[in-house]
């Protein structure tokens, strides 16, 4: 077992009987909708943000300006990615950031801003100029990766605009954004930009070559009365694999997950295997990355002169992840978002069983469950779909 890769995972949370029997089903968000981040607990820890901020001349622009807090959050993202991204995933690092606010979009740290973007006078973040565009490149206030001047970049609304969009989608108060959760959402999208730039855009991403669309499969899954129980079985098995005493227990729990999944695939709607493998590759890897990175923020990065809210301590990030893994039906955002956590958990188990797994998924393109089956000595077969392969278009709702 690669013990150096293991986290000090806390004990598996004990679910209440109400949580175990939860039967309420959430309808998946429509395509192109913002992806709400995990709601994370706050901790008495702050990140030291190094950035240059000068507002001289900024007020002369007659439009919704990025506030000092907006710029501080962007600087926080830059610092976290610079400090931790490469240790979470080889080759990952800071990406250009496109922030949508009001009727304008602000481009940060882009090597060659395209025509239409005008530099803001004396405004820099971590040594990078900030440019502004009147109008929009992005289709709406969504968190996504987006091509800007030939480079896939992180595209997000400013925090207040993002909160308004999430409230409109999920209902007011379902997901509350603060500085840490907003920054974590941007980091999640930064990994998607990394995926896109690695494969040259959606057309090159690994995909499940399945004729039925994602929406149709999700709609069919929503009708299954046993879905919550099936996901609960799978989530608890993965949670057990993250809190073992021996490598044998990790393998046993991983095999149990694979058995639960094979049993589910035997009766699941057509297209389920393809959908699960695709979302877990695209979104599960990004959830793995943002969770691992936020768990790497140390106490030594504590103070922040920018006034940002404190980041959660590493054990709080892990506890929240295990809580969601142990009750997938409780995850805000709907059915699709459950696969973010199930996919990420397979990555954390692979950290213990297969130290070189990352290169085989990105850029290698192999499915997480296939690698887990190889590492644990089991099988990922089940269902009626083709394996993930490189090339071909990806469904729009799967390429965010």
């Amino acid at each position: 077992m690669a013990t150096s890769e293991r986290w000090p995972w806390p004990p598996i949370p004990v679910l209440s009987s109400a949580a175990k029997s939860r039967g309420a089903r959430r309808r998946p968000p429509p395509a192109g909708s913002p992806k709400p981040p995990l709601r994370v607990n706050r901790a008495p820890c702050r990140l030291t943000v190094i950035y240059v901020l000068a507002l001289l001349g900024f007020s002369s622009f007659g439009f919704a300006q990025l506030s000092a807090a907006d710029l501080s959050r962007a600087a926080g993202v830059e610092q976290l990615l610079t400090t931790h991204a490469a240790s979470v995933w080889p080759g990952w690092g800071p990406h250009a950031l496109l922030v949508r606010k009001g009727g304008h979009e602000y481009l940060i740290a882009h090597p060659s801003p395209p025509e239409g973007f005008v530099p803001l006078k004396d405004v820099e973040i971590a040594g990078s100029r900030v440019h502004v565009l009147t109008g929009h490149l992005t289709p709406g206030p969504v968190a996504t990766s987006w091509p800007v001047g030939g480079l896939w970049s992180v595209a997000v609304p400013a925090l207040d605009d993002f909160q308004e969009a999430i409230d409109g989608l999920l209902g007011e108060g379902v997901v509350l954004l603060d500085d840490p959760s907003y920054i974590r959402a941007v980091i999640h999208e930064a990994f998607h930009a990394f995926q896109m730039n690695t494969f040259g855009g959606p057309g090159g991403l690994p995909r499940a070559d399945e004729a039925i669309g994602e929406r149709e499969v999700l709609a069919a899954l929503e009708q299954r009365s046993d879905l919550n129980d099936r996901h609960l079985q799978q989530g608890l098995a993965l949670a057990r694999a993250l809190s073992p005493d021996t490598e044998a227990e990790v393998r046993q729990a991983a095999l149990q997950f694979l058995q639960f999944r094979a049993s589910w695939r035997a009766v699941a709607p057509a297209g389920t295997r393809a959908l699960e493998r695709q979302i877990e590759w695209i979104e599960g890897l990004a959830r793995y990355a943002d969770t691992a990175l936020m768990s790497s923020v140390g106490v030594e990065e504590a103070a922040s002169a920018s006034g940002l809210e404190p980041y959660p301590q590493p054990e709080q990030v892990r506890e929240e992840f295990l809580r969601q893994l142990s009750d997938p039906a409780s995850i805000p955002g709907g059915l699709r978002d459950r696969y973010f956590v199930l996919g990420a958990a397979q990555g954390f188990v692979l950290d213990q069983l297969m130290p070189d797994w990352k290169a085989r998924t990105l850029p290698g393109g192999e499915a997480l469950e296939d690698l887990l089956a190889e590492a644990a000595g089991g099988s990922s077969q089940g269902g009626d779909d083709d394996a993930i392969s490189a090339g071909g278009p990806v469904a729009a709702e799967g390429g965010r």
Side-chain angles (χ1 to χ4, degrees), residues 103-387:
H104 295 75
E105 301 209 35
Y106 299 82
L107 186 59
I108 303 166
H110 195 287
S112 182
E115 184 178 356
F117 282 91
V118 179
L120 293 178
K121 183 180 179 181
D122 299 324
V123 180
E124 293 185 350
I125 294 177
S128 298
R129 297 293 301 273
V130 179
H131 293 73
V132 62
L133 172 71
T134 300
H136 296 121
L137 284 181
T138 56
V142 297
T144 188
S145 54
W146 199 259
V148 181
L151 179 69
W152 285 89
S153 306
V154 181
V156 291
L159 188 148
D160 291 342
D161 294 37
F162 199 5
Q163 184 68 69
E164 183 178 351
I166 291 174
D167 289 345
L169 176 69
L170 301 179
E172 187 172 354
V174 174
V175 172
L176 298 176
L177 291 175
D178 53 14
D179 291 337
S181 56
Y182 176 83
I183 287 172
R184 183 173 177 179
V186 179
I187 288 170
H188 181 95
E189 297 305 330
F191 194 84
H192 285 321
F194 174 49
Q195 290 172 310
M196 291 292 190
N197 284 316
T198 298
F199 284 95
L205 287 177
R207 65 182 178 91
D209 188 10
E210 172 63 14
I212 190 168
E214 182 177 294
R215 290 184 181 181
E216 288 81 359
V217 179
L218 287 172
L221 290 173
E222 283 284 326
Q223 303 304 313
R224 291 297 297 256
S225 61
D226 60 340
L227 183 64
N228 287 348
D229 289 339
R230 298 282 189 170
H231 283 166
L232 181 63
Q233 284 181 328
Q234 295 173 36
L236 286 175
L238 289 170
R240 284 191 290 272
L242 293 177
S243 302
D245 293 323
T246 66
E247 181 175 341
E249 290 177 348
V250 178
R251 295 182 186 279
Q252 182 180 14
L255 287 172
Q256 187 178 48
F257 162 76
L258 293 168
Q259 290 165 358
F260 284 144
R261 176 153 282 191
S263 175
W264 157 239
R265 296 268 178 79
V267 297
T272 296
R273 181 173 182 265
L275 176 135
E276 291 177 339
R277 289 156 67 89
Q278 178 177 320
I279 296 178
E280 287 174 353
W281 190 94
I282 295 172
E283 297 291 358
L285 291 184
R287 175 61 75 233
Y288 169 94
D290 74 60
T291 303
L293 189 147
M294 294 307 293
S295 296
S296 301
V297 177
V299 177
E300 68 275 7
E301 298 172 295
S304 171
S306 62
L308 291 176
E309 296 171 279
Y311 289 91
Q313 293 183 359
E315 59 269 22
Q316 291 178 298
V317 177
R318 297 163 192 159
E319 287 172 359
E320 173 65 9
F321 182 84
L322 277 179
R323 185 194 66 77
Q324 294 196 347
L325 182 61
S326 300
D327 185 17
S330 71
I331 297 173
L335 170 57
R336 190 174 186 271
D337 289 42
R338 301 182 192 183
Y339 294 110
F340 293 30
V341 177
L342 291 170
Q346 292 172 63
F348 288 122
V349 176
L350 284 167
D351 279 342
Q352 303 178 66
L353 299 178
M354 183 183 284
D356 62 347
W357 72 273
K358 291 177 183 177
R360 292 179 60 177
T361 54
L362 179 65
E366 294 187 55
L368 285 162
E369 64 180 43
D370 289 347
L371 295 179
L372 189 61
E374 178 183 331
S379 171
S380 64
Q381 298 304 309
D384 55 1
D385 309 306
D386 293 334

